[in-house]
Amino acid sequence: MKSKHQIYCLRLLGVLAITSGWSVLFNRLELGRENILMLFNVGVLLTSYITSGYQYGILASLFSVMFFNYAYTEPKGSFWITDREDFILTAFFLATTLLTSNLKVRLQKQLKLARENEQLAKELSLEQERIQFAMEKEQMRSHLLRSISHDLRTPLTGIAGASSLIEESAGKLDEESITSLAKDINEQAEWLIQLIENILNMTKIESGNLCLEKKPEAAEDVIHNAVTYVKGRLKQRTISVSIPEEVLFAEMDGKMIVQVLINLLDNSIKHTKEEGKIELKAWKEKNKIWFCVADNGTGIKKQYLDKIFEEFVTFHPRSKDTGKGIGLGLAICKAIITAHGGEIIGENNEDGGAKFSFWLWAGKEETYGNRE
């Protein structure tokens, strides 16, 4: 492989050969020595442009002056100059070509330095972004750990207190009190399971290890499973389910969609009063199966509408269940629905409360058939 020096020498020789040949043509056409000098000047500039370093431009300048002096000044065929005007013209040409060649090389160096500075600035900017991202990630991790610690402590304290009371009051509590304490323990345990499930799902999503096992599932089944799971937390709230008579099949990972519905229902429970109403419905629209969870609670504040599906975004509801949640539920919902190729939307109802809707691709009837 040829070195840069050899390549530049070949380019220099090529330019000199071309300019010398054209100068002979200019002379035969009697275009004037001034035009021939301009031709050589262009050759010097071209040499400086396609090479790197002072030496190539200087060589081009010296050769051009010597060739011009030898071929086009009196006495021709000699390097001796007898005419004073020819001497001044040749001297000015040599000075001009050397100056332009020098300026061109300096310009190349300045451009190279500017590119290096620009590259350095980009690298510094990228490094600053990486540092900022690392700091934000560390802050998010600290926030997550604090939130998890707080949210785990509350139900665990309740479980420990209720179980301790049952143990210490063995034989003294009536059956109704024992049943109530056991119910409280069960509710707290279920919430802990959901919290851990959300954390595990988010870990899988962020690591890219979330694997969906999509198959034909009936919307009625996943809705039933989700409602059954949250019934113990409804208390005085009511939940109504609305689904069409025809069986709606969709391509989904049933377990994941149940988790989405649980998160949305749990979100509605947190943001409605105990006498509040929650509605869950499903319907088919063209080749999409839609699910919707709506409530008449506090709704979504305007400043949160564009951020509700981001991680660790929480806002303060009126329900006494507030505080349960670390802001992962809706982020997980969005990630799961997006992985299914669907879309989830969060908005406020016109008459108050919030509404979350999402769709999944419907299955073809000839593929899934009808269920009796």
Side-chain angles (χ1 to χ4, degrees):
M1 186 175 180
K2 294 180 179 179
S3 64
K4 284 187 177 181
H5 179 70
Q6 291 174 321
I7 294 173
Y8 290 157
C9 287
L10 290 174
R11 290 178 180 177
L12 172 62
L13 294 175
V15 171
L16 294 178
I18 292 171
T19 53
S20 299
W22 278 93
S23 69
V24 174
L25 179 61
F26 277 26
N27 186 57
R28 289 182 180 179
L29 295 175
E30 298 181 354
L31 294 180
R33 291 186 301 172
E34 293 80 4
N35 291 322
I36 295 174
L37 284 175
M38 290 297 297
L39 176 64
F40 281 117
N41 196 14
V42 171
V44 173
L45 290 174
L46 181 60
T47 300
S48 300
Y49 180 77
I50 62 176
T51 59
S52 178
Y54 292 98
Q55 63 270 31
Y56 303 103
I58 293 174
L59 288 174
S61 299
L62 293 175
F63 174 84
S64 299
V65 169
M66 292 175 64
F67 187 86
F68 178 80
N69 183 26
Y70 184 85
Y72 305 116
T73 61
E74 298 296 337
K76 295 181 179 180
S78 171
F79 293 107
W80 186 258
I81 302 175
T82 57
D83 192 329
R84 185 175 61 179
E85 291 185 1
D86 287 342
F87 179 81
I88 295 173
L89 183 64
T90 302
F92 271 109
F93 171 71
L94 178 62
T96 302
T97 54
L98 290 174
L99 181 61
T100 53
S101 176
N102 182 49
L103 290 175
K104 183 64 178 65
V105 171
R106 287 188 177 183
L107 179 60
Q108 285 180 329
K109 288 186 174 181
Q110 290 177 354
L111 288 174
K112 182 180 179 181
L113 182 61
R115 292 192 191 99
E116 291 175 352
N117 290 337
E118 183 180 2
Q119 183 64 28
L120 181 60
K122 288 181 179 179
E123 291 176 358
L124 290 174
S125 178
L126 289 173
E127 184 63 25
Q128 288 177 347
E129 289 180 3
R130 282 194 291 267
I131 293 172
Q132 183 176 359
F133 176 77
M135 292 175 63
E136 291 176 354
K137 190 174 181 181
E138 185 61 31
Q139 288 177 353
M140 290 175 66
R141 185 183 291 109
S142 299
H143 177 76
L144 175 61
L145 291 174
R146 287 196 301 270
S147 299
I148 291 175
S149 300
H150 174 269
D151 289 335
L152 288 178
R153 187 182 299 113
T154 302
L156 286 174
T157 301
I159 292 172
S163 59
S164 177
L165 182 60
I166 294 174
E167 181 183 7
E168 292 174 359
S169 305
K172 299 179 182 179
L173 294 175
D174 55 51
E175 185 176 348
E176 184 179 350
S177 299
I178 294 174
T179 302
S180 177
L181 289 171
K183 185 179 179 181
D184 289 340
I185 292 173
N186 183 64
E187 288 180 4
Q188 298 291 348
E190 284 183 351
W191 184 83
L192 279 174
I193 292 171
Q194 184 183 342
L195 172 62
I196 293 170
E197 188 73 22
N198 278 337
I199 294 171
L200 291 175
N201 283 334
M202 183 53 70
T203 302
K204 291 178 182 178
I205 291 167
E206 291 185 341
S207 63
N209 294 325
L210 180 66
C211 298
L212 299 179
E213 297 180 3
K214 291 196 291 184
K215 60 181 179 179
E217 295 274 2
E220 180 183 357
D221 292 341
V222 295
I223 288 174
H224 173 75
N225 291 338
V227 172
T228 302
Y229 190 90
V230 300
K231 264 187 177 179
R233 282 176 253 167
L234 288 174
K235 297 183 179 179
Q236 303 301 318
R237 303 173 185 86
T238 59
I239 181 168
S240 61
V241 178
S242 174
I243 53 177
E245 291 185 2
E246 72 168 307
V247 179
L248 304 179
F249 285 98
E251 296 181 8
M252 67 172 97
D253 184 320
K255 183 180 177 181
M256 289 294 180
I257 298 303
V258 168
Q259 184 66 40
V260 170
L261 291 174
I262 289 173
N263 285 346
L264 294 179
L265 290 170
D266 186 64
N267 189 68
S268 291
I269 292 171
K270 293 175 187 174
H271 294 82
T272 56
K273 296 179 180 179
E274 287 200 3
E275 62 273 13
K277 296 180 180 180
I278 300 171
E279 182 181 12
L280 198 167
K281 57 183 178 178
W283 70 95
K284 184 175 182 179
E285 187 176 302
K286 295 182 179 180
N287 60 340
K288 297 176 181 178
I289 303 297
W290 282 88
F291 296 80
C292 178
V293 176
D295 60 63
N296 63 346
T298 57
I300 309 168
K301 294 182 180 179
K302 290 184 179 180
Q303 63 265 36
Y304 293 109
L305 277 172
D306 297 331
K307 302 176 181 179
I308 52 176
F309 293 110
E310 296 179 7
E311 294 179 29
F312 311 121
V313 173
T314 59
F315 49 100
H316 305 290
R318 296 178 187 170
S319 168
K320 69 179 183 180
D321 292 323
T322 183
K324 285 189 174 183
I326 55 176
L328 289 178
L330 293 179
I332 290 171
C333 291
K334 181 177 177 63
I336 291 175
I337 298 303
T338 301
H340 276 77
E343 181 184 11
I344 186 168
I345 303 166
E347 55 190 338
N348 284 315
N349 288 317
E350 293 182 0
D351 53 350
K355 178 172 67 176
F356 290 89
S357 308
F358 67 90
W359 62 262
L360 303 172
W361 292 112
K364 295 181 180 179
E365 187 176 350
E366 59 268 22
T367 302
Y368 305 129
N370 292 318
R371 189 177 67 178
E372 296 294 337

